[in-house]
Amino acid sequence: MAFLASKVKSIIQFSLTLGGISLGPIVGVYLLGFFVSFGNGKGAWIGMLTSYLILIWMYTGSALHEKSPKILPLSTDFCSDLLIGNDTIGQTLAINDSSNTFLLERYDSKESEEFR
């Protein structure tokens, strides 16, 4: 445990990870009892222990073989000039005044009126 604690970057990350490892199987057993009528105690214990082992194995592997993410460039030099702006800003809503339509059908984009 001390070896894994030395591999973590912050104590907050380590405590949240330990909370996820310990509470995940407990929530799984709770959901098993809530949704599955034929679940029993033996199956719950086997599932919880298996889940603990798999989560500890996953965390240990990720702590030992951590790869740093590739940092992507933040420059826009190679972006096309055609992609400047936001296309969703130009869309406006048209309100249909007909009172016999459903409330959600009254608010619609202008482009869809040409298909009616």
Side-chain angles (χ1 to χ4, degrees), residues 68-73:
S68 59
K70 180 181 176 185
I71 306 296
L72 297 176

Side-chain angles (χ1 to χ4, degrees), residues 26-88:
I26 293 173
V27 171
V29 168
Y30 174 77
L31 292 175
L32 173 77
F34 192 76
F35 288 115
V36 179
S37 63
F38 53 87
N40 57 13
K42 183 179 177 181
W45 277 107
I46 291 172
M48 189 164 63
L49 291 176
T50 305
S51 179
Y52 276 130
L53 291 175
I54 289 173
L55 287 174
I56 289 172
W57 174 64
M58 287 173 57
Y59 175 70
T60 306
S62 69
L64 293 177
H65 305 290
E66 180 182 351
K67 292 183 179 179
S68 59
K70 180 181 176 185
I71 306 296
L72 297 176
L74 298 176
S75 173
T76 59
D77 293 337
F78 299 108
C79 291
S80 172
D81 291 337
L82 300 174
L83 300 176
I84 295 176
N86 188 353
D87 290 336
T88 59

